[in-house]
Amino acid sequence: MKKENYSGANTPNLKLKMNKMLLMMMAVLLVFISCSKGKGEGDKKGASEPKTVKTVNVGQGYVASGLDPGDGGTGWALTSHGISENLYFVNKKGELDTRLVESISQKNDNEWEVKLKKDILFSDGTKVDAKAVSDALNRTNEKNAIARGTAGALKFSPIDEFTVNIKSEKPTKIMKAVLAEWTNVIYKVNDKGEFIFTGPFAVESLTPNTEVKLAPNKYFPDAEKRPNVTVKEFKDPNALKLAFENNELDIAVSIPSEFAESLQKSGHTLKPMEVGYQYFAFVNLTNKVLSNAKVREALDLAINRDEMIASLHGGKKPTGFFAGYFPFTGKADISSDVNKAASLLDEAGWKLNTQGIREKDGKPLSLTLVTYPQRPDLVTLMQVMSSQLKKMGIDAKTEISENIGEVGASKKFDIMLYAQHTASTGVPTFSLNQFFRPKASNNYTGYSSKEFEDVMKKLDATGDQQEMIKLAVEAQDILKKDRPVLFLVDPVWYVGLSDKVKDYEVWGADYYIVRADLTVK
């Protein structure tokens, strides 16, 4: 048998084969280079340009301080950013609505049953089931006393995979509203200790109190229609206005009224928003001077709300603790009367000395007003109030605190200016319970009233709309008489919108700024 010789490159058959292979390799290489060059040129011309994800930049007065819904007001901030959801929420019409619940039914005065929808997922792709919901809400209820304000302590237990039993410490007929309270967001803690949510956007990164970067939650319907979002905190309203003017922001929330007209004249899109917030002042009743009802009445009468509204370039006089468009707001006629205020201070023993300062037993009437920079309107109102009180002979000092919650809890203030959406669940119970019940977590004033308690017990227990309105008005009448809180302004806010989101509508004040329907033209 003849043996083939493959030992040398000069073998004729081998040389021919190698030449053929070399030509084939060169041809393939030329085709590859040609295709690559063609693709590169196409990119330059935009013919094959890959799809880019657009980013919407949002500026507002706050960014979440963390991701744990059990901490303070974190749950509120997370929902505002579009990260978290509640079992129920208040929709554009002011009605309680849901994306997560199939049905809810009351078993007795203190017990409810919630059936969850079976196709809801967390942003990591895992199921939102009865155990996850129960674990989350039990954890929040234990950590955050605010969650126990309306119906007392709540206990959540899974009945089956998608059914939750709820037992409340106090009887209630408004469990939907309780579940819509901003504390009660749905989440899970994974094996790494990370917080996972269900909202239309998921957290890419968070710099507490500064900036949060979001990407569409791919497990939330229509994720492909949503942009990336960056939410930035602006404590200075002038900085917010400037950033919007310079096209650095697509959505600028809570632009003060004083800037609205000039921005509109320069061609920017601004829309007024139904706020729901109220501006008011807590009075520290543990302060010996302010425990005197005549002094508190004098302070109330010394405040000129018209001057306050003028200083903000917009707003309305309040009639109670709730915005004027709610049917359960108060009916009080709140007006200024400096002569009567002076007479009441005289009766309380605080009379003008030769320097025009009110004093008693040789001590001047000195009060410290405090507020926080995250609501710039309040800083303006504090200066106006200080000026008005000084005209009455009161030595009114002012302070600004970065953490107003700590100031309130410490009771180390005289008058604290505050802002709150007082009906964020569409009913009047949450805020009244939160601020004015004796054991309430945010009872900053030290207020306690048997008359108020009797009304609130009835209000918490009713499910009848007309009865709720009647009782809520009664409760506000008592607050107006006792004055642990002074109603200041029913404000108006504006939202600035860039051209690419000019059809977007912010509703629900700043509780739902970034929502599932945020898309880019």
Side-chain angles (χ1 to χ4, degrees), residues 289-290 292-303 337-352 356-360 365-367 388-395:
V289 173
L290 297 174
N292 187 313
K294 289 184 178 181
V295 172
R296 297 198 302 277
E297 185 180 358
L299 294 177
D300 199 9
L301 292 170
I303 298 169
D337 188 337
V338 293
N339 291 326
K340 186 175 180 181
S343 177
L344 286 166
L345 289 173
D346 287 341
E347 290 175 23
W350 294 101
K351 298 185 178 181
L352 292 171
I357 300 296
R358 292 191 176 272
E359 64 175 31
K360 183 178 182 180
L365 178 49
S366 180
L367 298 173
Q388 292 172 347
L389 296 183
K390 284 178 180 177
K391 290 178 181 178
M392 298 296 303
I394 298 171
D395 177 25

Side-chain angles (χ1 to χ4, degrees), residues 192-401:
K192 298 178 182 179
E194 299 167 330
F195 293 90
I196 312 297
F197 302 93
T198 66
F201 292 88
V203 177
E204 292 281 284
S205 66
L206 170 67
T207 304
N209 304 119
T210 302
E211 179 181 274
V212 59
K213 292 189 174 184
L214 309 169
N217 171 7
K218 63 183 179 180
Y219 296 103
F220 196 106
D222 298 323
E224 70 282 356
K225 297 180 181 179
R226 294 184 196 98
N228 288 338
V229 175
T230 298
V231 182
K232 298 180 181 180
E233 180 173 303
F234 287 82
K235 293 178 181 176
D236 181 355
N238 289 287
L240 177 69
K241 170 183 175 284
L242 186 62
F244 180 61
E245 276 185 312
N246 292 338
N247 300 314
E248 297 168 18
L249 298 174
D250 299 298
I251 302 175
V253 182
S254 302
I255 290 179
S257 303
E258 61 186 294
F259 300 141
E261 185 176 353
S262 63
L263 285 170
Q264 287 171 327
K265 284 182 178 179
S266 62
H268 292 85
T269 299
L270 263 75
K271 294 181 180 179
M273 57 191 290
E274 277 195 343
V275 178
Y277 271 77
Q278 294 293 279
Y279 295 159
F280 45 86
F282 287 127
V283 181
N284 186 356
L285 303 184
T286 67
N287 177 312
K288 186 177 179 180
V289 173
L290 297 174
S291 66
N292 187 313
K294 289 184 178 181
V295 172
R296 297 198 302 277
E297 185 180 358
L299 294 177
D300 199 9
L301 292 170
I303 298 169
N304 187 317
R305 275 75 174 180
D306 291 326
E307 289 182 2
M308 289 186 160
I309 291 166
S311 73
L312 298 179
H313 301 271
K316 294 182 291 186
K317 275 188 179 182
T319 59
F321 196 56
F322 302 99
Y325 63 85
F326 287 113
F328 44 76
T329 193
K331 311 300 180 188
D333 177 18
I334 297 173
S335 57
S336 174
D337 188 337
V338 293
N339 291 326
K340 186 175 180 181
S343 177
L344 286 166
L345 289 173
D346 287 341
E347 290 175 23
W350 294 101
K351 298 185 178 181
L352 292 171
N353 62 21
T354 54
Q355 287 79 41
I357 300 296
R358 292 191 176 272
E359 64 175 31
K360 183 178 182 180
D361 300 327
K363 294 181 179 180
L365 178 49
S366 180
L367 298 173
T368 299
L369 281 57
V370 62
T371 194
Y372 49 108
Q374 292 88 344
R375 297 289 179 196
D377 281 355
L378 295 180
V379 179
T380 300
L381 293 183
M382 181 173 69
Q383 300 301 332
V384 174
M385 183 187 292
S386 173
S387 176
Q388 292 172 347
L389 296 183
K390 284 178 180 177
K391 290 178 181 178
M392 298 296 303
I394 298 171
D395 177 25
K397 302 180 178 68
T398 61
E399 291 181 0
I400 294 177
S401 172

Side-chain angles (χ1 to χ4, degrees), residues 458-471:
K458 295 176 185 177
L459 180 59
D460 287 342
T462 188
D464 180 78
Q465 179 70 11
Q466 293 307 310
E467 180 71 4
M468 186 179 294
I469 292 171
K470 174 178 172 291
L471 292 167

